[in-house]
Amino acid sequence: LEKFNILRLIQKLIKSFSLEFDSKDIHLELKTDFEYCYVIGDVFQLEQVITNLISNTLKYTPNGKKVIIEVNSTDSLVNISIENKGAYIPENEIENLYTKFYRIDKARTTSNNSNGLGLAIVKRILTLHESSYSLSNTNDGVKFEFTLKKADDSEII
């Protein structure tokens, strides 16, 4: 585990997905009050988490809608949420989405770039980071939220 700036990682991933979001006319927005936000974690594993979550929003957000990534913090935790507007998950399906190979749309094939492993991987990595996480419907979308341990300011070089 190491200290790193989670905002820099998120900004890098937003940039790497920008052409794909533009092609679907989806506006991807980062909301935060921080210029820097240091967390403790495995940067490569957490990049996989955020990549999987952003990739899901790209797949399931209708054209012309919005994806909002928010980063806030408390004294000891950083809260990260990714919400895609215009999407909905049936309530009885939400818990199943963490199961390997599970997909809501059973007719989807792997040719749609979905093998049903994304959220199972996210769950495993966040569990190893002792993070809390949740997936829920909002008034007009779907939001995935998770926490990471905040790096102590005195430790930052």
Side-chain angles (χ1 to χ4, degrees):
L1 300 180
E2 61 185 291
K3 296 178 288 275
F4 69 96
N5 183 355
I6 191 72
L7 289 176
R8 181 177 292 158
L9 175 61
I10 292 170
Q11 289 163 340
K12 175 186 114 175
L13 291 171
I14 287 172
K15 187 174 182 180
S16 72
F17 277 97
S18 64
L19 289 176
E20 294 172 84
F21 277 91
D22 288 348
S23 73
K24 288 186 71 179
D25 191 29
I26 297 172
H27 177 68
L28 183 55
E29 179 181 350
L30 174 60
K31 289 184 175 183
T32 186
D33 292 333
F34 305 109
E35 189 174 344
Y36 305 100
C37 186
Y38 288 88
V39 298
I40 306 277
D42 181 315
V43 67
F44 298 108
Q45 288 183 345
L46 293 171
E47 181 173 358
Q48 182 68 56
V49 165
I50 297 167
T51 296
N52 285 4
L53 295 174
I54 291 175
S55 178
N56 279 350
T57 66
L58 182 63
K59 285 181 212 167
Y60 300 112
T61 302
N63 291 5
K65 295 292 185 178
K66 183 186 272 191
V67 171
I68 301 168
I69 300 174
E70 255 184 289
V71 180
N72 301 303
S73 77
T74 64
D75 289 340
S76 61
L77 293 175
V78 172
N79 303 304
I80 300 167
S81 67
I82 301 176
E83 180 178 9
N84 53 324
K85 303 292 187 177
Y88 176 78
I89 299 172
E91 292 294 330
N92 63 332
E93 298 278 3
I94 289 176
E95 280 304 311
N96 295 329
L97 292 177
Y98 298 111
T99 305
K100 288 179 184 178
F101 308 116
Y102 187 86
R103 290 183 305 228
I104 291 174
D105 183 354
K106 311 300 188 277
R108 289 179 79 95
T109 64
T110 54
S111 64
N112 291 357
N113 291 330
S114 178
N115 55 19
L117 287 173
L119 287 180
I121 292 168
V122 165
K123 175 184 177 181
R124 178 76 178 138
I125 292 171
L126 291 177
T127 299
L128 289 172
H129 281 79
E130 299 175 358
S131 300
S132 62
Y133 56 89
S134 66
L135 177 64
S136 59
N137 289 305
T138 63
N139 288 339
D140 59 350
V142 173
K143 182 185 277 190
F144 191 95
E145 299 177 87
F146 66 98
T147 62
L148 294 172
K149 291 177 185 172
K150 189 175 185 179
D152 183 344
D153 289 340
S154 64
E155 298 174 297
I156 299 169
I157 299 170

mmCIF file of all heavy atoms in Angstrom, residues 65-102:
data_model
loop_
_atom_site.group_PDB
_atom_site.id
_atom_site.type_symbol
_atom_site.label_atom_id
_atom_site.label_comp_id
_atom_site.label_asym_id
_atom_site.label_seq_id
_atom_site.Cartn_x
_atom_site.Cartn_y
_atom_site.Cartn_z
ATOM 1 N N LYS A 65 -26.714 11.705 -21.950
ATOM 2 C CA LYS A 65 -26.881 11.877 -20.502
ATOM 3 C C LYS A 65 -25.557 12.268 -19.856
ATOM 4 O O LYS A 65 -24.597 12.600 -20.528
ATOM 5 C CB LYS A 65 -27.439 10.598 -19.866
ATOM 6 C CG LYS A 65 -28.848 10.267 -20.324
ATOM 7 C CD LYS A 65 -29.840 11.281 -19.812
ATOM 8 C CE LYS A 65 -31.270 10.862 -20.175
ATOM 9 N NZ LYS A 65 -32.237 11.800 -19.657
ATOM 10 N N LYS A 66 -25.495 12.177 -18.534
ATOM 11 C CA LYS A 66 -24.350 12.666 -17.781
ATOM 12 C C LYS A 66 -23.855 11.612 -16.795
ATOM 13 O O LYS A 66 -24.637 10.843 -16.255
ATOM 14 C CB LYS A 66 -24.783 13.910 -17.005
ATOM 15 C CG LYS A 66 -23.683 14.583 -16.214
ATOM 16 C CD LYS A 66 -24.235 15.713 -15.357
ATOM 17 C CE LYS A 66 -24.271 16.993 -16.128
ATOM 18 N NZ LYS A 66 -24.541 18.156 -15.266
ATOM 19 N N VAL A 67 -22.527 11.606 -16.570
ATOM 20 C CA VAL A 67 -21.893 10.795 -15.537
ATOM 21 C C VAL A 67 -21.177 11.768 -14.610
ATOM 22 O O VAL A 67 -20.434 12.641 -15.064
ATOM 23 C CB VAL A 67 -20.896 9.782 -16.135
ATOM 24 C CG1 VAL A 67 -20.096 9.100 -15.036
ATOM 25 C CG2 VAL A 67 -21.626 8.749 -16.986
ATOM 26 N N ILE A 68 -21.414 11.617 -13.313
ATOM 27 C CA ILE A 68 -20.805 12.506 -12.322
ATOM 28 C C ILE A 68 -19.944 11.684 -11.367
ATOM 29 O O ILE A 68 -20.426 10.740 -10.748
ATOM 30 C CB ILE A 68 -21.871 13.272 -11.522
ATOM 31 C CG1 ILE A 68 -22.738 14.102 -12.457
ATOM 32 C CG2 ILE A 68 -21.227 14.153 -10.452
ATOM 33 C CD1 ILE A 68 -23.995 14.655 -11.809
ATOM 34 N N ILE A 69 -18.679 12.067 -11.265
ATOM 35 C CA ILE A 69 -17.769 11.465 -10.295
ATOM 36 C C ILE A 69 -17.552 12.513 -9.215
ATOM 37 O O ILE A 69 -17.191 13.649 -9.512
ATOM 38 C CB ILE A 69 -16.425 11.083 -10.939
ATOM 39 C CG1 ILE A 69 -16.660 10.083 -12.074
ATOM 40 C CG2 ILE A 69 -15.474 10.510 -9.877
ATOM 41 C CD1 ILE A 69 -15.417 9.757 -12.868
ATOM 42 N N GLU A 70 -17.820 12.129 -7.961
ATOM 43 C CA GLU A 70 -17.659 13.056 -6.837
ATOM 44 C C GLU A 70 -16.642 12.515 -5.848
ATOM 45 O O GLU A 70 -16.626 11.323 -5.560
ATOM 46 C CB GLU A 70 -18.994 13.247 -6.111
ATOM 47 C CG GLU A 70 -19.641 14.570 -6.415
ATOM 48 C CD GLU A 70 -20.915 14.776 -5.609
ATOM 49 O OE1 GLU A 70 -21.909 14.079 -5.905
ATOM 50 O OE2 GLU A 70 -20.899 15.627 -4.704
ATOM 51 N N VAL A 71 -15.791 13.424 -5.335
ATOM 52 C CA VAL A 71 -14.804 13.059 -4.331
ATOM 53 C C VAL A 71 -14.941 14.024 -3.165
ATOM 54 O O VAL A 71 -14.810 15.236 -3.338
ATOM 55 C CB VAL A 71 -13.365 13.113 -4.904
ATOM 56 C CG1 VAL A 71 -12.351 12.730 -3.832
ATOM 57 C CG2 VAL A 71 -13.233 12.212 -6.124
ATOM 58 N N ASN A 72 -15.245 13.471 -1.988
ATOM 59 C CA ASN A 72 -15.375 14.242 -0.750
ATOM 60 C C ASN A 72 -14.572 13.521 0.321
ATOM 61 O O ASN A 72 -14.161 12.386 0.140
ATOM 62 C CB ASN A 72 -16.848 14.322 -0.302
ATOM 63 C CG ASN A 72 -17.723 14.969 -1.362
ATOM 64 O OD1 ASN A 72 -17.469 16.086 -1.774
ATOM 65 N ND2 ASN A 72 -18.739 14.247 -1.804
ATOM 66 N N SER A 73 -14.412 14.180 1.480
ATOM 67 C CA SER A 73 -13.699 13.476 2.544
ATOM 68 C C SER A 73 -14.219 13.853 3.920
ATOM 69 O O SER A 73 -14.855 14.887 4.102
ATOM 70 C CB SER A 73 -12.194 13.737 2.468
ATOM 71 O OG SER A 73 -11.887 15.007 2.972
ATOM 72 N N THR A 74 -13.936 12.957 4.850
ATOM 73 C CA THR A 74 -14.178 13.191 6.271
ATOM 74 C C THR A 74 -12.793 13.251 6.920
ATOM 75 O O THR A 74 -11.783 13.306 6.217
ATOM 76 C CB THR A 74 -15.009 12.047 6.882
ATOM 77 O OG1 THR A 74 -14.247 10.839 6.803
ATOM 78 C CG2 THR A 74 -16.336 11.870 6.175
ATOM 79 N N ASP A 75 -12.732 13.186 8.227
ATOM 80 C CA ASP A 75 -11.439 13.229 8.898
ATOM 81 C C ASP A 75 -10.522 12.080 8.487
ATOM 82 O O ASP A 75 -9.325 12.259 8.327
ATOM 83 C CB ASP A 75 -11.623 13.192 10.420
ATOM 84 C CG ASP A 75 -12.193 14.500 10.951
ATOM 85 O OD1 ASP A 75 -12.086 15.525 10.255
ATOM 86 O OD2 ASP A 75 -12.745 14.488 12.065
ATOM 87 N N SER A 76 -11.093 10.893 8.311
ATOM 88 C CA SER A 76 -10.242 9.728 8.066
ATOM 89 C C SER A 76 -10.528 8.983 6.762
ATOM 90 O O SER A 76 -9.787 8.074 6.395
ATOM 91 C CB SER A 76 -10.375 8.741 9.222
ATOM 92 O OG SER A 76 -11.722 8.305 9.333
ATOM 93 N N LEU A 77 -11.602 9.359 6.062
ATOM 94 C CA LEU A 77 -11.981 8.635 4.847
ATOM 95 C C LEU A 77 -12.185 9.576 3.668
ATOM 96 O O LEU A 77 -12.586 10.726 3.827
ATOM 97 C CB LEU A 77 -13.285 7.867 5.072
ATOM 98 C CG LEU A 77 -13.267 6.716 6.060
ATOM 99 C CD1 LEU A 77 -14.673 6.153 6.251
ATOM 100 C CD2 LEU A 77 -12.315 5.617 5.603
ATOM 101 N N VAL A 78 -11.943 9.048 2.491
ATOM 102 C CA VAL A 78 -12.283 9.732 1.250
ATOM 103 C C VAL A 78 -13.464 8.972 0.657
ATOM 104 O O VAL A 78 -13.442 7.753 0.553
ATOM 105 C CB VAL A 78 -11.089 9.745 0.276
ATOM 106 C CG1 VAL A 78 -11.505 10.278 -1.081
ATOM 107 C CG2 VAL A 78 -9.952 10.572 0.856
ATOM 108 N N ASN A 79 -14.518 9.704 0.311
ATOM 109 C CA ASN A 79 -15.722 9.116 -0.279
ATOM 110 C C ASN A 79 -15.723 9.413 -1.770
ATOM 111 O O ASN A 79 -15.621 10.576 -2.166
ATOM 112 C CB ASN A 79 -16.976 9.711 0.366
ATOM 113 C CG ASN A 79 -16.978 9.530 1.868
ATOM 114 O OD1 ASN A 79 -16.879 8.418 2.361
ATOM 115 N ND2 ASN A 79 -17.059 10.631 2.591
ATOM 116 N N ILE A 80 -15.881 8.379 -2.565
ATOM 117 C CA ILE A 80 -15.895 8.522 -4.021
ATOM 118 C C ILE A 80 -17.203 7.937 -4.531
ATOM 119 O O ILE A 80 -17.594 6.834 -4.134
ATOM 120 C CB ILE A 80 -14.699 7.791 -4.654
ATOM 121 C CG1 ILE A 80 -13.398 8.394 -4.116
ATOM 122 C CG2 ILE A 80 -14.761 7.864 -6.180
ATOM 123 C CD1 ILE A 80 -12.166 7.592 -4.404
ATOM 124 N N SER A 81 -17.873 8.680 -5.394
ATOM 125 C CA SER A 81 -19.098 8.156 -6.000
ATOM 126 C C SER A 81 -19.059 8.397 -7.498
ATOM 127 O O SER A 81 -18.481 9.374 -7.965
ATOM 128 C CB SER A 81 -20.347 8.799 -5.389
ATOM 129 O OG SER A 81 -20.424 10.164 -5.723
ATOM 130 N N ILE A 82 -19.654 7.465 -8.224
ATOM 131 C CA ILE A 82 -19.780 7.562 -9.671
ATOM 132 C C ILE A 82 -21.242 7.294 -9.987
ATOM 133 O O ILE A 82 -21.756 6.214 -9.710
ATOM 134 C CB ILE A 82 -18.862 6.557 -10.393
ATOM 135 C CG1 ILE A 82 -17.403 6.815 -9.996
ATOM 136 C CG2 ILE A 82 -19.058 6.633 -11.896
ATOM 137 C CD1 ILE A 82 -16.409 5.825 -10.557
ATOM 138 N N GLU A 83 -21.907 8.321 -10.526
ATOM 139 C CA GLU A 83 -23.342 8.209 -10.821
ATOM 140 C C GLU A 83 -23.574 8.400 -12.301
ATOM 141 O O GLU A 83 -23.074 9.342 -12.896
ATOM 142 C CB GLU A 83 -24.135 9.249 -10.042
ATOM 143 C CG GLU A 83 -25.629 9.181 -10.312
ATOM 144 C CD GLU A 83 -26.444 10.181 -9.501
ATOM 145 O OE1 GLU A 83 -25.846 11.053 -8.847
ATOM 146 O OE2 GLU A 83 -27.682 10.092 -9.553
ATOM 147 N N ASN A 84 -24.327 7.476 -12.897
ATOM 148 C CA ASN A 84 -24.719 7.654 -14.293
ATOM 149 C C ASN A 84 -26.211 7.950 -14.361
ATOM 150 O O ASN A 84 -27.042 7.210 -13.852
ATOM 151 C CB ASN A 84 -24.306 6.473 -15.173
ATOM 152 C CG ASN A 84 -24.741 5.116 -14.692
ATOM 153 O OD1 ASN A 84 -24.782 4.842 -13.502
ATOM 154 N ND2 ASN A 84 -25.063 4.256 -15.634
ATOM 155 N N LYS A 85 -26.508 9.084 -14.985
ATOM 156 C CA LYS A 85 -27.890 9.542 -15.122
ATOM 157 C C LYS A 85 -28.590 8.767 -16.233
ATOM 158 O O LYS A 85 -27.986 8.374 -17.221
ATOM 159 C CB LYS A 85 -27.919 11.041 -15.439
ATOM 160 C CG LYS A 85 -27.216 11.910 -14.412
ATOM 161 C CD LYS A 85 -27.960 11.918 -13.107
ATOM 162 C CE LYS A 85 -27.358 12.906 -12.129
ATOM 163 N NZ LYS A 85 -28.088 12.984 -10.896
ATOM 164 N N GLY A 86 -29.878 8.554 -16.048
ATOM 165 C CA GLY A 86 -30.677 7.898 -17.072
ATOM 166 C C GLY A 86 -30.660 6.383 -17.016
ATOM 167 O O GLY A 86 -31.240 5.729 -17.870
ATOM 168 N N ALA A 87 -29.997 5.813 -16.017
ATOM 169 C CA ALA A 87 -29.937 4.353 -15.887
ATOM 170 C C ALA A 87 -30.773 3.922 -14.682
ATOM 171 O O ALA A 87 -31.091 4.729 -13.815
ATOM 172 C CB ALA A 87 -28.500 3.902 -15.720
ATOM 173 N N TYR A 88 -31.123 2.646 -14.641
ATOM 174 C CA TYR A 88 -31.882 2.093 -13.520
ATOM 175 C C TYR A 88 -31.558 0.607 -13.423
ATOM 176 O O TYR A 88 -31.434 -0.089 -14.436
ATOM 177 C CB TYR A 88 -33.393 2.284 -13.723
ATOM 178 C CG TYR A 88 -34.212 1.633 -12.633
ATOM 179 C CD1 TYR A 88 -34.357 2.229 -11.391
ATOM 180 C CD2 TYR A 88 -34.817 0.399 -12.850
ATOM 181 C CE1 TYR A 88 -35.091 1.618 -10.378
ATOM 182 C CE2 TYR A 88 -35.559 -0.215 -11.846
ATOM 183 C CZ TYR A 88 -35.676 0.403 -10.620
ATOM 184 O OH TYR A 88 -36.395 -0.209 -9.617
ATOM 185 N N ILE A 89 -31.435 0.101 -12.201
ATOM 186 C CA ILE A 89 -31.238 -1.326 -11.949
ATOM 187 C C ILE A 89 -32.411 -1.804 -11.101
ATOM 188 O O ILE A 89 -32.687 -1.219 -10.053
ATOM 189 C CB ILE A 89 -29.924 -1.586 -11.182
ATOM 190 C CG1 ILE A 89 -28.731 -1.101 -11.989
ATOM 191 C CG2 ILE A 89 -29.782 -3.075 -10.851
ATOM 192 C CD1 ILE A 89 -27.422 -1.145 -11.216
ATOM 193 N N PRO A 90 -33.113 -2.857 -11.516
ATOM 194 C CA PRO A 90 -34.182 -3.387 -10.668
ATOM 195 C C PRO A 90 -33.627 -3.715 -9.282
ATOM 196 O O PRO A 90 -32.562 -4.315 -9.157
ATOM 197 C CB PRO A 90 -34.634 -4.652 -11.404
ATOM 198 C CG PRO A 90 -34.237 -4.421 -12.829
ATOM 199 C CD PRO A 90 -32.973 -3.612 -12.761
ATOM 200 N N GLU A 91 -34.339 -3.274 -8.242
ATOM 201 C CA GLU A 91 -33.867 -3.425 -6.859
ATOM 202 C C GLU A 91 -33.491 -4.865 -6.520
ATOM 203 O O GLU A 91 -32.510 -5.107 -5.825
ATOM 204 C CB GLU A 91 -34.921 -2.918 -5.866
ATOM 205 C CG GLU A 91 -35.144 -1.418 -5.895
ATOM 206 C CD GLU A 91 -33.950 -0.599 -5.432
ATOM 207 O OE1 GLU A 91 -33.163 -1.086 -4.586
ATOM 208 O OE2 GLU A 91 -33.790 0.532 -5.917
ATOM 209 N N ASN A 92 -34.259 -5.832 -7.017
ATOM 210 C CA ASN A 92 -33.983 -7.230 -6.691
ATOM 211 C C ASN A 92 -32.742 -7.774 -7.408
ATOM 212 O O ASN A 92 -32.298 -8.875 -7.122
ATOM 213 C CB ASN A 92 -35.196 -8.109 -6.997
ATOM 214 C CG ASN A 92 -35.557 -8.111 -8.467
ATOM 215 O OD1 ASN A 92 -35.298 -7.155 -9.192
ATOM 216 N ND2 ASN A 92 -36.172 -9.180 -8.920
ATOM 217 N N GLU A 93 -32.156 -7.004 -8.332
ATOM 218 C CA GLU A 93 -30.973 -7.440 -9.064
ATOM 219 C C GLU A 93 -29.665 -6.889 -8.475
ATOM 220 O O GLU A 93 -28.593 -7.393 -8.775
ATOM 221 C CB GLU A 93 -31.054 -6.980 -10.530
ATOM 222 C CG GLU A 93 -32.221 -7.544 -11.297
ATOM 223 C CD GLU A 93 -31.980 -8.946 -11.821
ATOM 224 O OE1 GLU A 93 -30.911 -9.526 -11.532
ATOM 225 O OE2 GLU A 93 -32.857 -9.471 -12.515
ATOM 226 N N ILE A 94 -29.750 -5.846 -7.643
ATOM 227 C CA ILE A 94 -28.546 -5.126 -7.213
ATOM 228 C C ILE A 94 -27.539 -6.039 -6.524
ATOM 229 O O ILE A 94 -26.361 -6.050 -6.879
ATOM 230 C CB ILE A 94 -28.917 -3.908 -6.336
ATOM 231 C CG1 ILE A 94 -29.559 -2.830 -7.227
ATOM 232 C CG2 ILE A 94 -27.688 -3.356 -5.620
ATOM 233 C CD1 ILE A 94 -30.062 -1.608 -6.497
ATOM 234 N N GLU A 95 -27.952 -6.829 -5.533
ATOM 235 C CA GLU A 95 -27.001 -7.691 -4.819
ATOM 236 C C GLU A 95 -26.367 -8.736 -5.730
ATOM 237 O O GLU A 95 -25.216 -9.118 -5.548
ATOM 238 C CB GLU A 95 -27.670 -8.371 -3.623
ATOM 239 C CG GLU A 95 -27.787 -7.466 -2.414
ATOM 240 C CD GLU A 95 -26.444 -6.892 -1.948
ATOM 241 O OE1 GLU A 95 -25.466 -7.653 -1.799
ATOM 242 O OE2 GLU A 95 -26.379 -5.675 -1.744
ATOM 243 N N ASN A 96 -27.117 -9.197 -6.732
ATOM 244 C CA ASN A 96 -26.589 -10.210 -7.651
ATOM 245 C C ASN A 96 -25.455 -9.684 -8.521
ATOM 246 O O ASN A 96 -24.654 -10.456 -9.034
ATOM 247 C CB ASN A 96 -27.699 -10.729 -8.565
ATOM 248 C CG ASN A 96 -28.765 -11.473 -7.799
ATOM 249 O OD1 ASN A 96 -28.492 -12.092 -6.785
ATOM 250 N ND2 ASN A 96 -29.990 -11.398 -8.279
ATOM 251 N N LEU A 97 -25.392 -8.382 -8.705
ATOM 252 C CA LEU A 97 -24.398 -7.808 -9.614
ATOM 253 C C LEU A 97 -22.964 -7.997 -9.134
ATOM 254 O O LEU A 97 -22.029 -7.857 -9.917
ATOM 255 C CB LEU A 97 -24.681 -6.319 -9.848
ATOM 256 C CG LEU A 97 -25.956 -6.036 -10.639
ATOM 257 C CD1 LEU A 97 -26.187 -4.545 -10.759
ATOM 258 C CD2 LEU A 97 -25.901 -6.688 -12.012
ATOM 259 N N TYR A 98 -22.773 -8.314 -7.861
ATOM 260 C CA TYR A 98 -21.431 -8.573 -7.340
ATOM 261 C C TYR A 98 -20.997 -10.019 -7.569
ATOM 262 O O TYR A 98 -19.877 -10.386 -7.267
ATOM 263 C CB TYR A 98 -21.370 -8.278 -5.833
ATOM 264 C CG TYR A 98 -21.652 -6.841 -5.488
ATOM 265 C CD1 TYR A 98 -22.821 -6.487 -4.818
ATOM 266 C CD2 TYR A 98 -20.756 -5.836 -5.811
ATOM 267 C CE1 TYR A 98 -23.082 -5.162 -4.479
ATOM 268 C CE2 TYR A 98 -21.007 -4.511 -5.489
ATOM 269 C CZ TYR A 98 -22.164 -4.186 -4.821
ATOM 270 O OH TYR A 98 -22.422 -2.885 -4.495
ATOM 271 N N THR A 99 -21.888 -10.847 -8.121
ATOM 272 C CA THR A 99 -21.607 -12.260 -8.360
ATOM 273 C C THR A 99 -20.886 -12.424 -9.692
ATOM 274 O O THR A 99 -21.287 -11.820 -10.690
ATOM 275 C CB THR A 99 -22.927 -13.068 -8.390
ATOM 276 O OG1 THR A 99 -23.633 -12.810 -7.175
ATOM 277 C CG2 THR A 99 -22.676 -14.544 -8.547
ATOM 278 N N LYS A 100 -19.840 -13.240 -9.709
ATOM 279 C CA LYS A 100 -19.089 -13.469 -10.947
ATOM 280 C C LYS A 100 -20.016 -13.938 -12.054
ATOM 281 O O LYS A 100 -20.894 -14.780 -11.832
ATOM 282 C CB LYS A 100 -18.006 -14.523 -10.731
ATOM 283 C CG LYS A 100 -16.857 -14.060 -9.901
ATOM 284 C CD LYS A 100 -15.851 -15.189 -9.742
ATOM 285 C CE LYS A 100 -14.734 -14.771 -8.821
ATOM 286 N NZ LYS A 100 -13.775 -15.855 -8.609
ATOM 287 N N PHE A 101 -19.808 -13.397 -13.238
ATOM 288 C CA PHE A 101 -20.498 -13.767 -14.477
ATOM 289 C C PHE A 101 -21.977 -13.401 -14.501
ATOM 290 O O PHE A 101 -22.694 -13.782 -15.418
ATOM 291 C CB PHE A 101 -20.329 -15.260 -14.799
ATOM 292 C CG PHE A 101 -18.898 -15.700 -14.795
ATOM 293 C CD1 PHE A 101 -18.445 -16.620 -13.862
ATOM 294 C CD2 PHE A 101 -17.997 -15.191 -15.709
ATOM 295 C CE1 PHE A 101 -17.118 -17.029 -13.845
ATOM 296 C CE2 PHE A 101 -16.668 -15.585 -15.697
ATOM 297 C CZ PHE A 101 -16.227 -16.508 -14.764
ATOM 298 N N TYR A 102 -22.467 -12.653 -13.507
ATOM 299 C CA TYR A 102 -23.882 -12.296 -13.479
ATOM 300 C C TYR A 102 -24.105 -11.039 -14.316
ATOM 301 O O TYR A 102 -23.369 -10.073 -14.217
ATOM 302 C CB TYR A 102 -24.353 -12.037 -12.043
ATOM 303 C CG TYR A 102 -25.846 -11.831 -11.955
ATOM 304 C CD1 TYR A 102 -26.699 -12.917 -11.843
ATOM 305 C CD2 TYR A 102 -26.403 -10.558 -12.023
ATOM 306 C CE1 TYR A 102 -28.071 -12.739 -11.783
ATOM 307 C CE2 TYR A 102 -27.766 -10.380 -11.970
ATOM 308 C CZ TYR A 102 -28.595 -11.468 -11.855
ATOM 309 O OH TYR A 102 -29.949 -11.291 -11.804
#
